Amino acid sequence: MRATVIHAPFDVRLEELPDPRIEGPGDAVVKVVASCICGSDLWPYRGDPPVKQPRPIGHEFVGIVQEVGFDVRTVKPGDFVVAPFVVSDGTCPHCLAGYQTACQNLVGYGQGKADGGQGEYVKLPYADGTLVATPEVPDDALVPSLLTLSDVMGTGWHAARSARVKAGDTVVVVGDGAVGLCGVLAASRMGAERVVALSRHEPRQKLAKEFGATDIISERGDAAKDAVLELTKGVGADAVLECVGTAQSMTTAFDVARPGATVGFVGVPHGVEVPISTMFRNNIGLAGGAAPCRAYLPALMADVLSGAIDPGKVFDSELPLADVAEGYAAMHERRAIKVLLRP
Amino acid sequence: MRATVIHAPFDVRLEELPDPRIEGPGDAVVKVVASCICGSDLWPYRGDPPVKQPRPIGHEFVGIVQEVGFDVRTVKPGDFVVAPFVVSDGTCPHCLAGYQTACQNLVGYGQGKADGGQGEYVKLPYADGTLVATPEVPDDALVPSLLTLSDVMGTGWHAARSARVKAGDTVVVVGDGAVGLCGVLAASRMGAERVVALSRHEPRQKLAKEFGATDIISERGDAAKDAVLELTKGVGADAVLECVGTAQSMTTAFDVARPGATVGFVGVPHGVEVPISTMFRNNIGLAGGAAPCRAYLPALMADVLSGAIDPGKVFDSELPLADVAEGYAAMHERRAIKVLLRP
């Protein structure tokens, strides 16, 4: 099969790899219908952390089950499935508590036990604990929205849930990447009265509004803080979604939070220092982390299939898998919000 | 009147100060029945931060209202009242949201607008937003428990509430000072099935058990982590109360938290660095801060008056106000858990 391998910074290639096969009783092999490139894939693409040796890459995909091990109960050949961005056993105490990203037997894609996601096929273990099937094979038009449930929509949802968004709230979303935009959609779906998106990019502002943003703030830093305080009569936001993971974005998130608010964070932290004294003085909480997309999949899948949400709009570019290198370049250069790949 | 003044490290004195009088329409003057010394009073007592000039000290007291301004509606002369550890207006957005410690017109005791708490009388503004009266003047035996609602019991409650303790939980409490012990009581009252107190001091272990601790761990650091993991079959605690505020106590709190848990922190942070990568990886939240004791006062007062809780047991020493200096020394040297002072 053909699959994407990262060799070095700015060097991803589609290569011929051995076809996968069932090895264990809980395995499944999925024929990929669509996969995509994640903001977190751009970190190794940019050399942080350095790529030590070539390895398969990609962790977001949907597809058709080809074959399963004899112990797999919940998916069968022919099923259309969504794969969350990590493999989880579904039976350990952390999975049972709904934190599958902390699974005691966590498996990452492309690291040996499961194939990389940006390929023609993916073999993975723990199929029952990981994959979620749609009731029937969906219309192709729904594929992009279903694909977002692998990661970005589940992650945006996790940001909003971690921030404890509730009906009537004023919510600020820091970050206008695919996850931030999905955070806007999640907050809106949860009934927030006012959803304030921080964005300086016109196409992203437009999509934020389609997803339910009521206000756009294009300022950054102290000016963004002032703008939020003006919008909220000096009070601050009831909930804040931090969807970037940098020192600046985290500072802004705490700056705009009202006392008693929670900052829901889902951006992988890079150089972040938590302002513990501000947290203490103003009782601002911090919660979130690697999103347990598996936990949210059944409900979000129902929302996509019913048309209640259409997160697939975050894909503003679709390429054949053969052009995966161009997809990475487009996202790195911010020419695309998010790139969908079709094998 | 006589009131306590801190002059320099290890130098607190009872001195003659002018009798307070009503100055504004929202003021009250309270004749102190009992006050006490707080763990946070020990920071300036030890010179951190340095005492720049002599100032009145103390912020926990109960007493009888002597006189009120013409605009005060909720308390009247003759009422027995509990004073939370800060003065709040009760009308700003943050007070209305239940975060009175972030009041837009916050007043601290002993800083000019309100007298220090360790004296014979205390004048304060915003009486309606601050003081809570008992239905009738309580029996003297209830005074210690009511006095804890000024600070330590409300703060222990805040730790448990911030940590989102729920019925059936396994809760670890880091810190065996008066706040930590009240945290044990709070977690138990909230229905925690297992309350694990970290304590190396026999009298405090005993009190923790009286307050509902089911397990005592006397180890520290990695050994404490191992002990909690052994108790929880490798899973970790559902909720953790961090009631100290040091780097070591915060590290232990995160070490024993299971994925998805929240660390409720109420110790004023000193040199704490938040382990953001652990938080992200394991979805461990951090919430808490300066406790809005005013918000919890009505419900906790009812619990004290009904006998449902008896947090006054944290006072293991009672001294006349004249011996306030000995009270500070006893707490500093850990000869006493908490000292009650009677004018």
Side-chain angles (χ1 to χ4, degrees):
Chain A
M1 69 165 177
R2 297 175 308 153
T4 306
V5 174
I6 184 164
H7 283 257
F10 309 107
D11 181 6
V12 294
R13 308 176 198 167
L14 194 65
E15 298 190 350
E16 196 63 33
L17 295 183
D19 284 339
R21 57 186 181 80
I22 298 295
E23 290 168 15
D27 289 3
V29 172
V30 177
K31 183 177 196 306
V32 175
V33 169
S35 67
C36 54
I37 301 169
C38 182
S40 70
D41 291 331
L42 296 181
W43 286 101
Y45 182 73
R46 291 164 177 155
D48 174 17
V51 179
K52 289 181 190 160
Q53 55 183 32
R55 61 171 175 83
I57 191 167
H59 53 261
E60 302 171 32
F61 62 97
V62 296
I64 301 286
V65 175
Q66 295 294 106
E67 198 183 348
V68 297
F70 66 80
D71 212 23
V72 173
R73 312 285 156 129
T74 61
V75 298
K76 59 184 186 306
D79 280 355
F80 181 96
V81 291
V82 179
F85 68 81
V86 287
V87 174
S88 52
D89 67 15
T91 56
C92 78
H94 306 327
C95 283
L96 293 175
Y99 292 93
Q100 289 89 345
T101 41
C103 174
Q104 289 176 340
N105 291 301
L106 193 73
V107 172
Y109 293 102
Q111 292 169 25
K113 292 184 180 169
D115 295 308
Q118 292 156 4
E120 289 181 303
Y121 294 88
V122 176
K123 193 276 290 189
L124 64 152
Y126 302 120
D128 281 335
T130 305
L131 302 173
V132 179
T134 52
E136 49 197 63
V137 174
D139 189 275
D140 197 62
L142 287 172
V143 165
S145 284
L146 290 167
L147 178 56
T148 66
L149 307 187
S150 263
D151 189 340
V152 286
M153 184 61 211
T155 297
W157 190 266
H158 189 54
R161 184 170 169 274
S162 298
R164 302 176 194 282
V165 171
K166 59 187 189 309
D169 273 358
T170 292
V171 178
V172 169
V173 180
V174 183
D176 64 358
V179 170
L181 293 165
C182 288
V184 168
L185 183 56
S188 177
R189 176 87 179 136
M190 290 179 185
E193 189 174 306
R194 203 158 189 177
V195 181
V196 184
L198 267 55
S199 174
R200 302 194 298 179
H201 306 274
E202 201 275 328
R204 294 166 192 239
Q205 293 175 349
K206 187 167 166 287
L207 189 48
K209 285 191 171 172
E210 287 180 42
F211 279 173
T214 55
D215 301 85
I216 303 285
I217 289 177
S218 55
E219 287 86 354
R220 285 199 176 182
D222 284 346
K225 174 185 179 176
D226 293 345
V228 171
L229 288 177
E230 196 182 320
L231 272 177
T232 57
K233 298 179 183 169
V235 172
D238 300 310
V240 183
L241 281 53
E242 197 289 296
C243 303
V244 185
T246 62
Q248 188 192 23
S249 61
M250 191 64 92
T251 299
T252 298
F254 278 100
D255 277 352
V256 302
R258 69 178 288 170
T262 302
V263 173
F265 81 115
V266 292
V268 184
H270 284 83
V272 166
E273 274 181 43
V274 177
I276 184 81
S277 295
T278 301
M279 289 182 73
F280 185 87
R281 193 174 54 250
N282 284 338
N283 269 280
I284 300 171
L286 178 64
C293 290
R294 179 62 177 78
Y296 305 136
L297 246 170
L300 292 179
M301 181 180 277
D303 277 358
V304 165
L305 295 176
S306 75
I309 58 172
D310 50 358
K313 287 181 180 170
V314 295
F315 293 107
D316 56 349
S317 170
E318 182 173 324
L319 294 173
L321 184 57
D323 293 343
V324 61
E326 160 56 16
Y328 272 83
M331 279 184 62
H332 165 61
E333 294 161 16
R334 290 179 76 90
R335 286 184 279 119
I337 297 173
K338 195 162 177 77
V339 175
L340 185 145
L341 300 166
R342 295 263 190 181
Chain B
M1 68 164 177
R2 296 176 309 154
T4 306
V5 175
I6 184 164
H7 283 258
F10 309 105
D11 181 6
V12 293
R13 307 176 198 167
L14 195 65
E15 297 191 348
E16 194 64 33
L17 295 183
D19 285 339
R21 57 185 182 78
I22 297 295
E23 288 169 15
D27 290 3
V29 171
V30 177
K31 184 178 197 305
V32 175
V33 170
S35 67
C36 53
I37 301 168
C38 182
S40 69
D41 291 332
L42 297 182
W43 287 99
Y45 182 74
R46 291 163 176 157
D48 174 16
V51 180
K52 289 181 189 159
Q53 55 182 33
R55 62 172 175 83
I57 192 167
H59 53 260
E60 302 170 32
F61 61 96
V62 295
I64 301 289
V65 176
Q66 294 294 106
E67 197 182 348
V68 295
F70 66 80
D71 211 23
V72 174
R73 312 284 154 127
T74 61
V75 298
K76 60 185 187 303
D79 280 355
F80 181 96
V81 291
V82 178
F85 68 80
V86 287
V87 175
S88 52
D89 66 14
T91 57
C92 78
H94 306 327
C95 283
L96 293 175
Y99 291 93
Q100 289 90 344
T101 41
C103 174
Q104 290 177 339
N105 291 301
L106 195 72
V107 172
Y109 293 103
Q111 293 169 25
K113 291 184 179 169
D115 294 308
Q118 292 156 3
E120 289 181 305
Y121 294 88
V122 177
K123 192 276 290 187
L124 65 152
Y126 302 119
D128 281 335
T130 307
L131 302 172
V132 179
T134 53
E136 50 196 61
V137 174
D139 189 274
D140 197 62
L142 288 172
V143 165
S145 284
L146 290 167
L147 178 56
T148 66
L149 306 187
S150 262
D151 190 339
V152 286
M153 184 61 210
T155 296
W157 190 264
H158 189 54
R161 184 169 169 277
S162 298
R164 304 178 191 282
V165 172
K166 58 189 188 310
D169 274 358
T170 293
V171 179
V172 169
V173 180
V174 183
D176 65 356
V179 169
L181 293 165
C182 288
V184 168
L185 183 56
S188 177
R189 175 83 178 140
M190 290 178 187
E193 188 173 308
R194 201 156 189 178
V195 182
V196 184
L198 267 56
S199 174
R200 302 195 297 180
H201 306 274
E202 201 275 327
R204 294 165 192 239
Q205 294 175 346
K206 187 165 166 287
L207 189 48
K209 286 191 172 172
E210 288 181 43
F211 279 172
T214 54
D215 301 86
I216 303 285
I217 289 177
S218 55
E219 287 86 354
R220 286 200 177 180
D222 284 346
K225 175 185 179 177
D226 293 343
V228 170
L229 288 177
E230 196 182 321
L231 271 177
T232 57
K233 299 178 182 169
V235 172
D238 300 310
V240 183
L241 280 53
E242 196 290 297
C243 303
V244 183
T246 61
Q248 188 192 21
S249 61
M250 190 64 89
T251 299
T252 298
F254 278 100
D255 278 351
V256 301
R258 69 178 288 170
T262 302
V263 172
F265 80 114
V266 292
V268 184
H270 284 82
V272 166
E273 273 180 46
V274 177
I276 185 80
S277 295
T278 302
M279 290 182 72
F280 185 87
R281 192 173 55 251
N282 284 338
N283 268 280
I284 300 171
L286 179 63
C293 290
R294 179 62 176 77
Y296 306 134
L297 245 170
L300 291 179
M301 182 181 276
D303 277 359
V304 164
L305 294 176
S306 75
I309 59 172
D310 51 359
K313 287 180 180 172
V314 295
F315 293 107
D316 56 349
S317 168
E318 182 172 325
L319 294 172
L321 184 56
D323 293 343
V324 62
E326 161 54 16
Y328 271 82
M331 279 184 61
H332 165 61
E333 294 160 18
R334 289 179 74 91
R335 286 184 278 119
I337 298 175
K338 196 163 176 75
V339 175
L340 185 146
L341 301 165
R342 297 264 191 179

